[in-house]
Amino acid sequence: MENLNKARQLVQNADTVIVVAGNGLAKTEGLDLLGQEDFEQSFPGVVQKYDVHSVGFALDQHISSWSEKWQLWSNLIQKYSVDYHPSKTLQKLKQLINNKQYFIASSAFGHFFETAGFNEKRIFNVFGDWTKAQCSSGINHGLKDCQSVVRKIAAKKPDTNIEELVPKCDICGQPLEIHLPLNEHFYPDTDANTRFRWFLTGNEDKNTVFLELGVDETSPQLREPIEHLVAEFPQWSYVAADFKQENLLPEIQERSAGTNADAASLINNLVTE
């Protein structure tokens, strides 16, 4: 495939790898934000009730009842994250970067990298992580793991009162909502954001590769700013899945590689046995 040899050489020679992951990577882990077939087969009741046909559109539903919200969220999170097992592709990615300095900036909110055993202090979930919950008051009262709540709601008996299971903020008592940018209350993980910024600063003079995996129309803001950032530092390069070489910024093309391989194929080709 186009430019794969160049991509492999860039990654192998790098001291530092920064993974930029989007929906294309999430697809390899079973969560396709815009896919319809799997969603319709898995959640026929949701399709019928809300007339939505993908995870993305289901999350966009404006539901007033907290018990109804948590029922929907729990069904999705249970299937795609709580019951999730890392793919061989993600295991290969871990093998690829485990002996290098690395950081992961991801718009894929399914908690995949954490479950696969990547260093949690080296992950910034740009659009949040739906296995975490935040206060619905709009005030940053911190994040709380909600997987135990998800399990309880997803496994509830028909006569269970979900209202009693809706998690509440330990500080103000308001209902919690999943940590995604579903409304104006969302706030990024500022601690992870700070760690990412310091990591970038600490590698300005290092041989650093940004490995972009499946950034698509659901998270375009992850591509262009990083390309411009790479252009500022001559030691940095960019390797991208599903992206034509000629579409990279002209000033980084010679030291970067756009490939026509999808995220899974690119990772598989970068790992040498």
Side-chain angles (χ1 to χ4, degrees), residues 190-205:
T190 52
D191 290 340
N193 191 4
T194 300
R195 289 195 296 269
F196 184 41
R197 292 176 181 274
W198 276 112
F199 188 85
L200 292 174
T201 302
N203 285 280
E204 289 177 352
D205 60 347

Side-chain angles (χ1 to χ4, degrees), residues 37-246:
E37 184 175 354
D38 177 69
F39 181 86
E40 290 173 346
Q41 291 177 354
S42 300
F43 303 104
V46 174
V47 173
Q48 183 176 10
K49 185 170 186 177
Y50 301 108
D51 191 26
V52 295
H53 301 269
S54 69
V55 173
F57 283 106
L59 291 172
D60 279 341
Q61 291 304 295
H62 297 287
I63 303 170
S64 58
S65 163
W66 282 106
S67 58
E68 195 173 338
K69 286 180 182 180
W70 273 99
Q71 179 68 75
L72 174 62
W73 294 339
S74 296
N75 288 342
L76 296 174
I77 297 167
Q78 178 75 34
K79 173 176 170 57
Y80 294 111
S81 292
V82 175
D83 291 341
Y84 160 74
H85 298 284
S87 69
K88 291 182 178 179
T89 296
L90 205 59
Q91 292 168 2
K92 283 191 174 183
L93 176 63
K94 188 177 179 183
Q95 175 187 341
L96 179 69
I97 67 175
N98 220 27
N99 293 324
K100 299 179 183 289
Q101 291 294 314
Y102 72 82
F103 211 103
I104 298 166
S106 176
S107 65
F109 47 79
H111 205 71
F112 304 125
F113 293 102
E114 293 87 346
T115 302
F118 290 85
N119 185 345
E120 295 194 14
K121 296 297 184 182
R122 290 287 179 264
I123 302 171
F124 174 33
N125 292 302
V126 180
F127 293 166
D129 176 346
W130 67 358
T131 71
K132 309 291 184 185
Q134 64 182 33
C135 183
S136 63
S137 68
I139 300 174
N140 186 350
H141 287 156
L143 298 175
K144 185 175 183 178
D145 190 285
C146 65
Q147 293 185 70
S148 61
V149 171
V150 164
R151 291 187 183 96
K152 290 177 183 177
I153 295 177
K156 70 171 183 63
K157 296 179 180 179
D159 58 348
T160 302
N161 183 0
I162 300 179
E163 195 69 38
E164 298 175 354
L165 299 177
V166 171
K168 303 292 197 305
C169 177
D170 293 333
I171 296 175
C172 70
Q174 291 295 310
L176 297 180
E177 58 189 358
I178 55 175
H179 186 231
L180 292 181
L182 305 180
N183 54 45
E184 67 277 6
H185 296 162
F186 176 77
Y187 54 87
D189 184 338
T190 52
D191 290 340
N193 191 4
T194 300
R195 289 195 296 269
F196 184 41
R197 292 176 181 274
W198 276 112
F199 188 85
L200 292 174
T201 302
N203 285 280
E204 289 177 352
D205 60 347
K206 303 287 180 59
N207 184 358
T208 299
V209 171
F210 285 76
L211 178 58
E212 184 260 278
L213 301 171
V215 174
D216 59 16
E217 68 273 13
T218 64
S219 53
Q221 60 272 59
L222 284 181
R223 176 175 283 146
E224 186 174 343
I226 288 178
E227 282 192 68
H228 285 282
L229 188 62
V230 170
E232 294 183 25
F233 300 98
Q235 294 289 97
W236 289 9
S237 57
Y238 192 82
V239 171
D242 278 328
F243 202 64
K244 294 181 178 180
Q245 177 77 13
E246 58 267 28

